[in-house]
Amino acid sequence: MTDGTNPPSSPQPEQPAPGSGGYGFPPGPPASGGYGYPADQDPRPSTGDGYGHPPPPASGGGYGYGYPADQGQGQGHPNPYQQDLPGPYRPGSYQQFPGGAPGAPADQGGAGGPADQGGAWPPAGARPAPFERQRSGQPDWDALADRSAAERRKKRLWTIGGVAAVLLLLAGGGTFLLLGGEDKAADVADKAPAATGSASPKPEGSKSKAPVDKSPTVASDPTLIRDHGGKDHLKMSAEAGVFAIDKHYELRTKGNEKSYAEAEKRVVDASKSFSVSARVWNRSPKGRQIAVSQGNEKTFGFELGSDEVNGKPAWIFRVQTSDQGADSTTQTIAAEGLKMAKTMTTLTGTYDAEKKTITLYVNGKKTSEGQVTGVYNAPGPLQLARSRHEGNWSGSWNGAMDSMRAFAVALSPEQVAAVRQNKLSPSVKPSGAWVLL
């Protein structure tokens, strides 16, 4: 009898004797049922081996579909499905599973089940032993995934709680400003700059002020240097100009008679106390170079800049006491031995009409002081980058300057230092201011 496929092409050999181990069954007494059924459940005849299957022979043999007890093959035919198979399908591995597996020796729970259970297979509907979940050293991935999801949920809850707390704090701050922080909010509003051109009335006692417009020239005429302290704009010559540098502006002149700037009229009343200041830079301090002056058609009334004193370059503040401009009526104070070439220096000259003193400050520090009988109140316009001597223009400035200011008071040493740092109190207002930082 065949296994239900095509009949063999050659005569079948004689069936091995019972207990000889043929057909891949291990030696030993045959099971009472066929095809692995227990005797009490096998529907086929219980005599013999069932459907022509003899009891397992004692030694290997068969048609190659069975396996010898020690090598798992018969008639010299290797089992291609047996080699290099993992786990329970590798030869000799059936003892790893509870209940054994078909083809294992009877004392290891093979063929008809474990030896201590009478060779019975698991009940119908139960999971066969080889497919039961095995305990090993591998982690429980399902449990790890559950824990990871729980951690993510916990982080989301913490994040949501933190955002809610921040929103509550912000809401509380807004409530404070609306209910309990009105005074502080008003103070902050007072310190904020007002919008340019705003027509809204300022509250009484407000400290707010309009932002300072530091544009260097007049919008309608770029050749006019804008006066930030009044209405005395300065007209630039063709060879002078205002240029942007390091986020501010400066007036540049070439050191000749055609490079200057002047006002339309007198700006400083030299018959009274006054101060003039400028931050200057020159290429070479040779000869007379005047940054700020005021005079008439013949002579200067005062001048601030550099000149040679005792044969050496020095910063100077010079005044004239007579309208004739004679040397005998000229008074000069100087600061010698300081670095002058290609360095930004703040020069300030003051005249105290009450004390009849003139003072020169360099970079906010007093350097020299002198007594005078007075200062000639020249009617001519204010000049930048030149001065009048004996009826001629002289002292052309070769370099740059900014932060030019004129005051109708004699500044104190503290105020002079504050001017250099741009921290002078707003209560001290200049009568003229040009090209501010």
Side-chain angles (χ1 to χ4, degrees):
M1 187 172 184
T2 66
D3 57 359
T5 61
N6 294 330
S9 59
S10 60
Q12 298 182 7
E14 295 183 356
Q15 298 180 352
S20 62
Y23 291 95
F25 290 92
S32 61
Y35 287 92
Y37 284 90
D40 57 330
Q41 297 182 13
D42 190 355
R44 297 169 303 212
S46 59
T47 59
D49 54 2
Y51 287 89
H53 290 272
S59 60
Y63 286 95
Y65 300 102
Y67 306 96
D70 55 349
Q71 296 181 2
Q73 60 184 3
Q75 297 292 334
H77 294 277
N79 181 9
Y81 306 100
Q82 181 182 4
Q83 300 179 5
D84 300 326
L85 294 178
Y89 303 100
R90 186 178 295 113
S93 301
Y94 294 108
Q95 63 271 22
Q96 299 175 2
F97 302 96
D107 59 352
Q108 298 180 8
D116 57 357
Q117 297 181 11
W121 284 88
R127 178 181 293 176
F131 300 97
E132 292 179 355
R133 179 175 293 180
Q134 304 178 40
R135 296 182 179 177
S136 66
Q138 295 292 333
D140 190 337
W141 300 110
D142 292 338
L144 291 176
D146 292 340
R147 284 198 297 272
S148 178
E151 291 293 333
R152 287 195 297 271
R153 287 194 297 271
K154 184 183 295 184
K155 290 181 178 179
R156 281 198 299 270
L157 291 175
W158 276 106
T159 302
I160 293 171
V163 172
V166 171
L167 292 176
L168 287 174
L169 289 174
L170 291 176
T175 303
F176 168 77
L177 288 177
L178 291 174
L179 300 178
E182 294 176 353
D183 294 339
K184 186 173 182 179
D187 184 64
V188 172
D190 289 343
K191 294 180 180 179
T196 304
S198 175
S200 302
K202 297 179 181 178
E204 185 176 356
S206 173
K207 298 179 181 179
S208 62
K209 60 181 179 179
V212 177
D213 183 0
K214 294 185 178 181
S215 56
T217 58
V218 176
S220 59
D221 187 354
T223 65
L224 289 178
I225 301 176
R226 182 182 177 187
D227 181 6
H228 296 278
K231 297 180 180 180
D232 294 314
H233 307 311
L234 306 179
K235 182 70 174 180
M236 290 184 289
S237 68
E239 296 189 21
V242 173
F243 299 86
I245 179 172
D246 296 334
K247 298 182 180 180
H248 71 279
Y249 297 91
E250 64 183 19
L251 170 67
R252 296 179 187 175
T253 52
K254 297 181 178 180
N256 60 56
E257 293 183 1
K258 297 181 180 180
S259 186
Y260 62 91
E262 67 178 356
E264 291 184 354
K265 58 184 177 60
R266 180 174 61 188
V267 175
V268 176
D269 185 354
S271 65
K272 302 175 182 178
S273 297
F274 70 90
S275 300
V276 289
S277 181
R279 197 174 74 129
V280 301
W281 181 95
N282 65 7
R283 293 182 178 85
S284 178
K286 294 181 179 180
R288 180 186 300 135
Q289 296 189 51
I290 304 303
V292 185
S293 73
Q294 185 174 277
N296 61 9
E297 72 281 353
K298 188 174 183 179
T299 187
F300 65 92
F302 67 85
E303 58 185 13
L304 178 69
S306 67
D307 202 350
E308 290 188 5
V309 176
N310 300 322
K312 296 180 180 180
W315 297 117
I316 62 100
F317 180 48
R318 181 180 288 134
V319 298
Q320 178 60 255
T321 62
S322 171
D323 61 353
Q324 299 301 310
D327 290 342
S328 60
T329 57
T330 300
Q331 181 71 38
T332 302
I333 54 176
E336 303 176 39
L338 301 178
K339 185 177 180 179
M340 299 178 64
K342 298 180 180 180
T343 180
M344 295 302 298
T345 304
T346 300
L347 302 178
T348 305
T350 67
Y351 169 59
D352 189 330
E354 182 179 350
K355 297 179 180 180
K356 302 296 183 182
T357 58
I358 57 174
T359 308
L360 174 63
Y361 298 84
V362 178
N363 289 331
K365 298 179 180 180
K366 181 190 291 188
T367 58
S368 56
E369 187 178 69
Q371 289 291 133
V372 296
T373 59
V375 176
Y376 169 54
N377 189 22
L382 187 78
Q383 303 286 333
L384 298 182
R386 67 179 184 174
S387 182
R388 199 78 166 174
H389 280 252
E390 298 178 355
N392 297 312
W393 293 115
S394 67
S396 298
W397 185 267
N398 184 14
M401 64 184 79
D402 60 36
S403 301
M404 292 80 74
R405 294 181 176 93
F407 298 87
V409 295
L411 297 176
S412 67
E414 294 77 18
Q415 290 172 331
V416 171
V419 167
R420 180 174 182 262
Q421 299 172 356
N422 287 321
K423 295 181 179 180
L424 185 63
S425 171
S427 62
V428 183
K429 297 181 180 180
S431 55
W434 305 270
V435 194
L436 299 178
L437 285 174

